[in-house]
Amino acid sequence: ITLEGPDLRNSVWTPGDKVQIAMGSAFIARTYTPIDWDRDAGRARILGYAHGDGPGSAWLMSAGPGVECDVFGPRASIDVSRAAGPLALFGDETSIGLGYSLAHSYPQRTVTCSFETGDFAAAQRALARLGLAEAALFRRRQDEGHLDQMEAVLPALIDAGASFVLTGRAAAIQRLRQRLRSRAVPSNRISTKAYWAAGKPGLD
């Protein structure tokens, strides 16, 4: 979705920053990670994930040309500008926009992306359209067995000196962070941001 307005020309955006969009009320908002920001044009783009029947999904499905909305931000969320080495992003459907932003904002760096997903085909289509076809997808399982597969990717990235960006589902972030710490990865090489958690709607 493309957002456009004169106020966006005056904004200072860093890849990984977040914006909040009011869902018809100042008291109900949802948070998104812009995939890019054009200050000259006063234009920013977000990639939304319509999940369930909450206000965020309803807004995404009803948005169209000319629809007005209140945008708050950008505000700091994930900042990898000082992170050393290659970047290794782990997340889910809600992290794909961040993956695009990092890959296109830091073309001189190696950025690898690994995403868990409940809809493998839809995630593949989104990644292909964004030019992220090389991202690794892991089909989400109720027993969390797919996280074993995601953890198997970590050793090679650790050996390569990567900095890790863990986003998306809170439970997955916690497990991957514990595994990184068990392998003595220093905290300054690990950035985390939970975008959602089961039973906690509207997590910022």
Side-chain angles (χ1 to χ4, degrees), residues 173-186:
I173 291 172
Q174 183 178 20
R175 178 164 162 179
L176 292 171
R177 180 170 52 187
Q178 289 175 345
R179 181 53 59 93
L180 289 172
R181 287 178 173 175
S182 73
R183 296 183 63 91
V185 176

Side-chain angles (χ1 to χ4, degrees), residues 7 15 17 31 34-35 39 42 49 55 65 74-75 79 82 85 93 100 110 114 116 121 128 130 132 171:
D7 289 344
D17 283 355
T31 305
I35 65 175
R39 291 184 64 188
Y49 174 49
R75 297 174 181 148
D79 184 2
R82 298 182 181 179
E93 297 93 341
Y100 177 94
T110 299
S114 301
E116 59 170 338
L130 291 170
L132 295 174

Side-chain angles (χ1 to χ4, degrees), residues 116-167:
E116 59 170 338
T117 178
D119 190 333
F120 200 91
Q124 278 186 318
R125 290 194 298 270
L127 291 170
R129 184 160 184 180
L130 291 170
L132 295 174
E134 294 183 0
L137 284 177
F138 300 84
R139 196 182 304 275
R140 188 180 292 116
R141 291 171 44 179
Q142 289 187 346
D143 64 1
E144 302 281 45
H146 66 285
L147 292 182
D148 293 334
Q149 298 173 323
M150 296 183 79
E151 289 177 349
V153 178
L154 297 177
L157 294 169
I158 293 171
D159 292 342
S163 288
F164 294 86
V165 183
L166 312 179
T167 64

Side-chain angles (χ1 to χ4, degrees), residues 13-18 32-36 45-48 77-81 87-106 111-115 127 130 132 164-168 173 191-195:
W13 172 75
T14 299
D17 283 355
K18 65 184 178 182
Y32 299 93
T33 304
I35 65 175
D36 53 30
R45 294 191 299 162
I46 62 171
L47 176 68
S77 181
I78 289 284
D79 184 2
V80 300
S81 59
L87 294 176
L89 171 65
F90 287 79
D92 60 12
E93 297 93 341
T94 63
S95 309
I96 292 176
L98 176 61
Y100 177 94
S101 176
L102 296 182
H104 287 75
S105 299
Y106 301 105
V111 179
T112 61
C113 299
S114 301
F115 303 115
L127 291 170
L130 291 170
L132 295 174
F164 294 86
V165 183
L166 312 179
T167 64
I173 291 172
S191 301
T192 65
K193 182 64 179 180
Y195 293 154

